[in-house]
């Protein structure tokens, strides 16, 4: 538990992306957690690029939405969401299969904090309730 006077800074990534590879990750000691891959869109609309984030789904609201979308993700339908990620870090890995077998790669990891809206195959299926957002440039806040 953080002391009440401890301050911290948030670094969030917001964007639009597709959800893939939803799964429950078992842990040796403790409760399993929900994970999903977010393929974030960026660049020009006529030449879209993607950045993949392997995410632990955090928070009850995000978990409920991902669970609602799980059948569509597993059926390989196009699940597009507006998202917010936090706690980004990079982790190195060694490819075990394919053309890159034996090479070192990097996986971007984050926590999926919020889903603002979701569409399945272009049809709206979820819209988060409106809530006020603090400015990204606000003063540090107490934990």
């Amino acid at each position: 538990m953080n002391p009440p006077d401890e301050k911290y800074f948030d670094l969030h990534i917001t964007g639009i992306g597709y959800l893939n590879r939803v799964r429950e990750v078992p842990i040796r000691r403790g409760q399993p957690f929900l994970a999903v891959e977010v393929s974030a869109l960026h660049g020009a609309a006529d030449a879209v690029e993607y950045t993949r984030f392997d995410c632990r789904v955090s928070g009850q609201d995000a978990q409920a939405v991902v669970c609602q979308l799980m059948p569509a993700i597993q059926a390989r339908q196009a699940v597009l969401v507006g998202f917010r990620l936090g706690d980004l870090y990079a982790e190195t890995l060694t490819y075990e299969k394919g053309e890159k077998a034996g090479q070192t790669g990097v996986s971007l990891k984050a926590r999926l904090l919020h889903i603002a809206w979701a569409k399945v195959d272009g049809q709206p299926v979820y819209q988060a309730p409106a809530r006020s957002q603090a400015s990204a440039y606000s003063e540090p806040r107490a934990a």
Side-chain angles (χ1 to χ4, degrees):
M1 188 106 178
N2 295 338
D5 61 344
E6 187 174 322
K7 297 183 189 291
Y8 62 96
F9 299 96
D10 291 330
L11 173 61
H12 290 155
I13 300 161
T14 58
I16 296 172
Y18 291 98
L19 299 184
N20 301 296
R21 286 185 4 123
V22 65
R23 65 227 180 260
E24 193 171 272
V25 178
I27 297 180
R28 221 175 250 164
R29 292 189 178 118
Q31 295 293 321
F33 64 89
L34 190 59
V36 69
E37 181 182 277
V38 176
S39 292
L41 287 74
H42 59 94
D46 61 350
V48 175
E49 294 184 46
Y50 297 90
T51 297
R52 291 185 309 179
F53 298 93
D54 192 20
C55 300
R56 179 179 188 142
V57 183
S58 298
Q60 289 181 334
D61 292 341
Q63 288 178 3
V65 175
V66 170
C67 285
Q68 175 187 338
L69 297 169
M70 191 179 295
I73 298 166
Q74 291 172 333
R76 297 188 179 265
Q77 291 178 281
V79 179
L80 186 67
V81 298
F83 65 84
R84 182 173 63 240
L85 307 179
D87 299 331
L88 175 68
Y89 66 98
E91 190 173 88
T92 59
L93 57 94
T94 302
Y95 291 103
E96 295 180 8
K97 300 177 186 175
E99 292 178 15
K100 297 182 180 182
Q103 295 179 21
T104 301
V106 176
S107 175
L108 296 176
K109 308 274 187 172
R111 290 189 313 134
L112 176 58
L113 302 172
H114 179 71
I115 295 177
W117 54 265
K119 293 181 180 183
V120 175
D121 289 337
Q123 299 301 312
V125 295
Y126 173 77
Q127 179 69 49
R131 67 182 205 189
S132 65
Q133 282 191 333
S135 168
Y137 303 105
S138 62
E139 290 293 317
R141 58 189 170 110

